[in-house]
Every structure is written in C-alpha cells, then in structure tokens.
Amino acid sequence: MAMLSLISDILQRPTIVGVLSELVALMAPVWIAMVVGVLVGWAWKPKWANLGKDLLDGSKESSPASRLASSIPSFNPLKLQFPTCIPWISDAGAEKVNLSVPPTAVPECSSMASERGTSSLVTDDDLQHLCRLVEVKDGGPSWIHMMDRCTTTMSYQAWRRDPETGPPQYRSRTVFEDATPELVRDFFWDDEFRSKWDDMLIHASTLEDCPITGCMMVQWVRKFPFFCSDREYIIGRRIWESGRLYYCITKGVPCSTIPRRNRPRRVDLYYSSWCIRAVESKRAQGQLTACEVLLFHHEDMGIPWEIAKLGVRQGMWGAVKKIEPGLRAYQIERASEAPLSRSAIMAQINTKVSEVHLRSLESVNAQTSEIEDGVNSSEKRAGKSIPKLIIVGGAIALACTIDRGLVTKALIFGVARRFSNMGRRL
C-alpha cells in the first residue's frame, strides 16, 4: 500500500516532467541494485551452482534421444580457429584438476552398421550447407570486412558477421604460394603433425573412423594460460572431393562414451569447415601453383560474445602468421617420404562428388532460400502487430486506471500511438 500511495503522489505532479523525474528517482536505486547483484553473482559463483547443470548434462548424454540427435551445421584448420586465439579469457571458480586425457582406443570400422554410424556424423546436408557458404547464398547477414594482410608467400583476408542468434561467425580467405590443394588438405587433417606447429593443442586422439568414407570422430583438448579453463572438442569430420576441389567439414558432435568434466570444458556448438582449391599464383601469371583456403568458423566457448570478438580481433593475425612455417615444414617432411600418420591417410579417403551434383545442391539451396524468405517475411509482418496491440492495450488500461480528465487520457493515447508507429517503421 505504501508503494501504491507513493506512485499515486508522483502521478499527481502538475507536469509530465515532474512525474517522469520522480519515477526515475524512484526506479534508479532498484535498477542499480539489480545490476550490482547480477555482476556480483556472475563474478562469484559457488561450485554447487553447477551441480544441477552437470546432472542434467549427464542425463542428457545417457538418453537415446541425445545420441540420435545430429548436430546442425554449427566456424581447425588454420589456427585460423579464431576463437582459440583468446588466451586471456578465464572461467571464474573453475576447480583445478588433472588436465591429462587418457588415451582412447580406436575402434575398427569392421561392420557395415559401424560404418554407417560413423559416416552419419557428417552428411550430405553438411556439404550442402558448406556449398551455400562458399557461394554466399546461405541467406545469412552480410559479411563485415575485418582484415587484409599479406607476406611474400601468403595473403590473408578475414570477415565477420553477427547472426540474430548464436555466436559471431567468421570467414577468411588464405592463399599459400607454391602449395598444392592435396598437401594443404593433409596438413590441416594431420593431428600428429599439428602438435608441432599448433602450440595450443595438448591432446588429439581418434575415437572412431571409417575407411570407406573417411569420416572420423576425434577428440581435441586445447590449452590456455594457467588462469583460463582449457577446452575440449568432440569433432566429426569428413572430406568431399570434386576434381581438385576439396570440401572439408568439421563440427561438434555428441559423444556419450566420453564423460563431461569441469575441466577441460567441453565446447558443444562448434563449426569449422573450409574449401580448398588451386588458384592462380600472383608471382607466376597464368599458373595454378597457389592454393586458396576459404574458411568458415564459429563456436560457443561459453564466454560473452563481445569479449570473444575483441580477443579474436587482437589475436587473429598473430595466430595466422604461425601457420605458414608449419605448412613449409610439412612440405619438407612429405618430400622426405616419411611414413604418413593415420589421420593423414584418412585425409586421402574422400567422398567423390560431381559438378552436376554440386550444381543440383545449389539449385536446392536457391529454392530453400526463397521458401525461408517468404516464411520469414510473413512472420515479421505477424510479429509487428503484436507489440502494437500490447502498446495500445496498455494505454487503454492506464487511461482507465488514472482518472485525470480528458487531457491526461489524450496524452497517454498520443504517446502510445507514437510508439506503435515507431514499431511499424522498425
């Protein structure tokens, strides 16, 4: 009753300015207290706060539905894995535990059922999605240019976009001089050699693989400084080949056989795929002696996205520059005819796809985009009317509640109409 009396006294002020100033003075302490409470709760979080989430995650992994749910194409190849270049983001309250990961036995893809199960991790739908990204026909927001750098033997360009839902997405184009698409494909797939140039990779193991399709499930753990929590990735990956053009897809997949732990923290939403092809060299005109890598990457590491974008921008070029020395060292090792690693052998098992099939995917993409655009536009038209009804209905209720004559009610309806018109323009 005291609050209602206070509000009634405020509304009896002779001017609108007086009413608004009193309302602001009344609500300001409440908002300040709420913001302080959110900040304190985010900075200090006891271990028991994660207990419910861990129980839910455990039950979710053990349920048949979670094992059957395929990942939706969710943006490592170049250490160009941009979000892993954020070495200064920490997880407050994480308990220190042993970071070593026990080696995992590699099951043989001996039966047809096992082969189908592994191959279903990455499917033609994922290829279709990557083709849409490469052709810039995926229907997403426009790309914002971030960077354009080069050295004598490498050029690099990067873009970013912010979808309505989900983490920031990144796109890059890297051209390596004097490199073949096949060598670059093997280089990014070779987990055993990656540890020699990617100093953030502390563990990589193959959980499953299929010698028929080349599809693999691998486990990565990436290292961060002592004040940060390491990240674990369960990745499904597969390569499609069309001539000398390679579509390499890696994405996060569910895995019930590897239990979750507090550290390293598992990243579920992960997508990192690229298209590799031969392009004309800038040093030898007309010669296809350079290799282009188009990368599309996004992941949700459980940190504020604005902080992640800042870290990516600051660390991007420094991380990318470390890739080329690793590639050149890989060229030397391959020239010495050293035996190939298991993952490099799997990189050479590709699913063949014709140009006709790729064009059919593009036509399906175009039809799907048209349908989605039509649905989205109708949803937007329907959605715009709802806020307008809320505003007008609220104005009617307020006008009926406050009995201050026709002038007050006219003012309320005028303000409501102004806000509804603003919503229509939006």
Side-chain angles (χ1 to χ4, degrees):
M1 294 299 294
M3 179 63 70
L4 292 176
S5 176
L6 181 58
I7 294 176
S8 177
D9 292 340
I10 291 174
L11 294 177
Q12 290 177 5
R13 299 286 178 178
T15 63
I16 294 297
V17 175
V19 172
L20 293 178
S21 61
E22 291 292 338
L23 287 176
V24 170
L26 175 66
M27 296 303 297
V30 178
W31 283 105
I32 293 173
M34 186 181 69
V35 171
V36 171
V38 170
L39 291 177
V40 171
W42 181 70
W44 175 84
K45 183 173 65 173
K47 285 190 294 184
W48 55 261
N50 286 328
L51 181 60
K53 180 177 182 299
D54 294 338
L55 292 174
L56 289 175
D57 288 341
S59 63
K60 185 187 299 182
E61 285 184 359
S62 61
S63 66
S66 65
R67 292 194 296 269
L68 292 175
S70 298
S71 346
I72 297 174
S74 43
F75 164 51
N76 177 42
L78 305 172
K79 202 172 174 185
L80 258 163
Q81 225 174 323
F82 298 129
T84 60
C85 307
I86 313 172
W88 40 268
I89 297 172
S90 63
D91 292 326
E95 181 182 6
K96 290 186 177 180
V97 296
N98 185 10
L99 297 179
S100 62
V101 178
T104 307
V106 180
E108 292 295 332
C109 192
S110 55
S111 66
M112 292 300 295
S114 177
E115 291 171 4
R116 287 195 298 268
T118 304
S119 300
S120 65
L121 296 173
V122 186
T123 66
D124 285 346
D125 292 338
D126 299 296
L127 173 63
Q128 180 180 2
H129 179 68
L130 179 56
C131 289
R132 295 175 66 177
L133 291 171
V134 171
E135 299 297 330
V136 197
K137 297 179 179 178
D138 65 311
S142 58
W143 294 98
I144 303 170
H145 187 262
M146 294 179 60
M147 185 175 297
D148 195 339
R149 301 288 181 88
C150 66
T151 64
T152 56
T153 55
M154 182 186 76
S155 63
Y156 178 76
Q157 297 171 294
W159 297 262
R160 190 200 79 241
R161 68 181 183 183
D162 299 306
E164 294 182 0
T165 59
Q169 299 178 358
Y170 296 90
R171 172 179 180 262
S172 70
R173 178 181 183 268
T174 309
V175 177
F176 298 101
E177 295 289 340
D178 302 319
T180 63
E182 292 74 21
L183 180 80
V184 175
R185 173 201 63 191
D186 297 352
F187 171 67
F188 288 130
W189 224 248
D190 196 333
D191 289 343
E192 288 80 354
F193 190 84
R194 178 180 282 272
S195 60
K196 298 180 180 180
W197 61 271
D198 187 348
D199 54 7
M200 297 180 70
L201 183 67
I202 59 176
H203 173 80
S205 63
T206 302
L207 305 178
E208 297 178 13
D209 62 27
C210 178
I212 305 300
T213 62
C215 190
M216 303 176 67
M217 179 192 289
V218 299
Q219 179 191 34
W220 281 10
V221 177
R222 298 189 67 83
K223 183 180 180 180
F224 288 81
F226 68 93
F227 51 83
C228 298
S229 173
D230 295 338
R231 294 299 191 264
E232 177 192 40
Y233 301 81
I234 305 297
I235 300 172
R237 62 189 193 184
R238 185 175 176 181
I239 301 176
W240 278 264
E241 174 188 352
S242 178
R244 295 189 67 198
L245 190 152
Y246 299 94
Y247 294 94
C248 309
I249 298 174
T250 72
K251 66 175 188 177
V253 295
C255 179
S256 59
T257 59
I258 307 295
R260 290 180 182 270
R261 295 170 295 172
N262 289 334
R263 298 188 66 169
R265 180 174 179 174
R266 182 169 298 179
V267 176
D268 293 311
L269 178 54
Y270 172 82
Y271 182 81
S272 189
S273 300
W274 56 100
C275 175
I276 302 175
R277 57 191 170 195
V279 293
E280 184 176 336
S281 171
K282 65 180 182 181
R283 299 187 299 182
Q285 188 173 3
Q287 301 294 320
L288 299 178
T289 56
C291 179
E292 176 191 69
V293 179
L294 296 176
L295 169 73
F296 302 89
H297 182 103
H298 68 265
E299 63 179 284
D300 188 356
M301 299 176 63
I303 58 175
W305 294 336
E306 292 301 323
I307 297 178
K309 289 194 291 187
L310 177 62
V312 168
R313 178 176 290 276
Q314 296 298 323
M316 181 182 294
W317 177 238
V320 171
K321 285 192 300 184
K322 297 180 182 179
I323 299 167
E324 192 186 12
L327 176 62
R328 303 308 173 187
Y330 194 68
Q331 283 180 315
I332 295 172
E333 180 169 304
R334 291 291 293 268
S336 67
E337 298 184 354
L340 297 179
S341 66
R342 174 67 177 174
S343 53
I345 293 174
M346 294 300 297
Q348 299 178 7
I349 303 175
N350 308 147
T351 302
K352 302 295 189 297
V353 60
S354 65
E355 293 185 8
V356 175
H357 181 64
L358 291 177
R359 285 196 296 269
S360 67
L361 290 178
E362 293 177 6
S363 63
V364 171
N365 293 340
Q367 295 174 3
T368 305
S369 298
E370 291 177 0
I371 295 173
E372 290 176 350
D373 291 342
V375 172
N376 291 335
S377 60
S378 62
E379 288 178 350
K380 288 179 180 178
R381 287 193 298 269
K384 287 180 181 179
S385 61
I386 296 175
K388 183 175 180 180
L389 290 174
I390 294 174
I391 293 172
V392 174
I396 294 173
L398 184 60
C400 294
T401 304
I402 302 175
D403 187 11
R404 295 295 174 190
L406 292 176
V407 175
T408 303
K409 295 180 179 179
L411 179 60
I412 292 173
F413 282 116
V415 172
R417 187 173 63 180
R418 178 70 59 86
F419 276 105
S420 65
N421 290 336
M422 289 174 59
R424 184 185 308 163
R425 289 195 297 270
L426 294 176

